[in-house]
Amino acid sequence: MLLSEIWCYPVKSCAGIPLERAKVGPRGIHLDRHWMLINQDGRFVSQRQLPRMALIRPRFVEEGLRLEAPGISALEIGEDAHCGRTVSVQVWRDRCAAMEVGDAANAWFSSLLGETVRLVFLPAGERRTVDQDCASATDEVGFADGFPFLLIGRASLDDLAGRMGCALDIRRFRPNLVVTGSAPYAEDTWSRVRIGGLSFRVAKPCSRCAVTTVNPDLGERDLDTLGALRTYRQRENRVYFGQNLIHDAAGELVAGDPVAPTG
């Protein structure tokens, strides 16, 4: 088994960036979900409410991050650029402090999405801990829903596509790590896995939502992936696809790294 794809999502719920190699720090892949959009109440917004977020495509530049989207000039922001305003933000049940990037970024995103939103980032001094039912007190995460990594086996995606009778883009499911060479849903049986030089704990299955129904190239819903998954991947009124992982230490991942379950 091999690590075939690595994905980083600098802005939560915007498009991802495929990487050949990735630095892994305390929160996961460097700058993964480092930024996030919030509404007037400080609560995160995502493709669940605003499917057009899929059309916002980031890429790393020397100064930080460049964001491009149809019909609007590009926006560039520094990795830790901020206007000095601290804001309390909410990601599901978690509350933490974030820094607001500034008025120009807020206006850019609000104009594009047709909603008043603000762009924030998680500063280095702020810790957001992972769900303590599945993690240790030292485990932390950026603005991802709950865990530093999401892993999906390519064979699992192919199996779902076969059941639906159509091609499926892995981007709908927003993994950080894609594995080839495993049997469909083999990842369901793992409790620990080693990828290259890094070891991971498999925390829990990933509960899926309406984001999987969004076409990443159109920014609109077009497939009932949830309905298809519900026929064979549902339990206790939740639909599961992929596994959430927590890394044991910092290091580096490289596309092509060997993958081996260790528990």
Side-chain angles (χ1 to χ4, degrees):
M1 292 186 290
L2 297 176
L3 177 64
S4 59
E5 298 176 43
I6 306 170
W7 288 87
C8 176
Y9 306 89
V11 183
K12 182 178 178 68
S13 218
C14 293
I17 300 175
L19 304 174
E20 287 299 314
R21 57 198 319 123
K23 293 180 180 178
V24 175
R27 297 173 181 168
I29 292 174
H30 181 57
L31 296 182
D32 186 54
R33 278 86 167 195
H34 180 68
W35 291 272
M36 178 174 73
L37 292 175
I38 59 172
N39 63 17
Q40 296 289 70
D41 298 323
R43 185 175 177 83
F44 82 99
V45 297
S46 74
Q47 290 181 39
R48 296 170 183 86
Q49 305 88 21
L50 301 171
R52 279 180 55 80
M53 290 179 69
L55 301 180
I56 301 171
R57 305 194 181 281
R59 62 183 177 90
F60 294 123
V61 294
E62 186 175 346
E63 300 79 11
L65 193 69
R66 180 180 175 88
L67 295 142
E68 300 173 346
I72 193 170
S73 299
L75 172 72
E76 290 195 6
I77 53 177
E79 181 174 329
D80 294 311
H82 61 86
C83 64
R85 293 193 292 263
T86 302
V87 59
S88 176
V89 302
Q90 185 168 355
V91 184
W92 298 112
R93 293 177 295 176
D94 295 346
R95 277 241 170 230
C96 61
M99 297 295 297
E100 198 170 328
V101 173
D103 294 337
N106 295 345
W108 190 88
F109 282 99
S110 298
S111 173
L112 178 65
L113 297 172
E115 299 277 350
T116 300
V117 294
R118 290 175 287 167
L119 182 68
V120 299
F121 72 94
L122 193 62
E126 184 70 16
R127 287 189 73 251
R128 180 173 170 241
T129 56
V130 179
D131 182 352
Q132 292 299 283
D133 290 337
C134 308
S136 70
T138 58
D139 293 323
E140 57 182 293
V141 65
F143 284 136
D145 278 357
F147 295 89
F149 291 90
L150 171 61
L151 179 147
I152 293 176
R154 171 60 70 170
S156 305
L157 180 74
D158 292 343
D159 179 80
L160 174 59
R163 293 169 186 263
M164 294 185 66
C166 64
L168 287 176
D169 194 318
I170 195 72
R171 292 178 295 162
R172 289 179 182 268
F173 300 90
R174 302 181 66 78
N176 295 108
L177 310 173
V178 181
V179 172
T180 56
S182 59
Y185 313 108
E187 60 269 26
D188 293 351
T189 67
W190 303 344
S191 59
R192 297 189 64 89
V193 62
R194 188 164 191 85
I195 304 176
L198 298 182
S199 60
F200 298 81
R201 287 158 279 155
V202 181
K204 63 186 295 188
C206 182
S207 175
R208 308 317 304 232
C209 68
V211 172
T212 65
T213 70
V214 176
N215 185 312
D217 292 320
L218 301 178
E220 57 188 41
R221 296 187 177 94
D222 68 345
L223 283 179
D224 187 14
T225 50
L226 286 180
L229 285 167
R230 197 171 287 119
T231 63
Y232 73 111
R233 297 288 295 177
Q234 178 173 300
R235 65 176 188 270
E236 298 176 351
N237 294 318
R238 292 183 178 272
V239 172
Y240 295 99
F241 189 75
Q243 294 289 330
N244 291 300
L245 271 56
I246 304 170
H247 53 307
D248 290 330
E252 185 177 52
L253 292 169
V254 180
D257 275 344
V259 176
T262 56

